[in-house]
Amino acid sequence: MAGQTLMAIAWPAFLAACLLEFLVFALVDPADLHLAGHALALPRQAVYALGFFGFWIVAVVCSATTALLMRTPAQVNEQPGPAGSWEVKEEG
């Protein structure tokens, strides 16, 4: 189950990072980027890779936040039971 959840978060984030990479670097030349007034001393491929992984991290955080907010109250209130099984803790 955890593997499915991880892929449900990571795969759409990967696709979003691909799209953002395409859109941003179609308009921005990595050689024109500056940090604190100085040109970046990185090759273009390094800027592309760092940009992609930066976009992917942001998209993973967004997807994980959505997955967290989509949980039902019963899923939020699950407690570990005997022998590591999960069960819903009932109030009362």
Side-chain angles (χ1 to χ4, degrees):
M1 185 65 169
Q4 283 183 322
T5 302
L6 179 63
M7 287 310 298
I9 292 170
W11 180 244
F14 175 82
L15 295 176
C18 290
L19 180 63
L20 284 169
E21 179 88 5
F22 174 76
L23 292 175
V24 168
F25 289 115
L27 302 173
V28 176
D29 183 8
D32 293 338
L33 295 177
H34 291 75
L35 182 63
H38 301 286
L40 292 178
L42 297 171
R44 286 178 188 225
Q45 281 102 0
V47 175
Y48 292 140
L50 290 173
F52 174 77
F53 287 114
F55 294 145
W56 198 6
I57 289 168
V58 170
V60 163
V61 169
C62 292
S63 294
T65 301
T66 300
L68 179 69
L69 294 174
M70 292 294 294
R71 295 177 67 193
T72 64
Q75 291 171 325
V76 172
N77 292 323
E78 283 180 344
Q79 298 293 322
S85 65
W86 288 87
E87 56 189 43
V88 176
K89 181 179 177 183
E90 295 185 22
E91 298 289 327

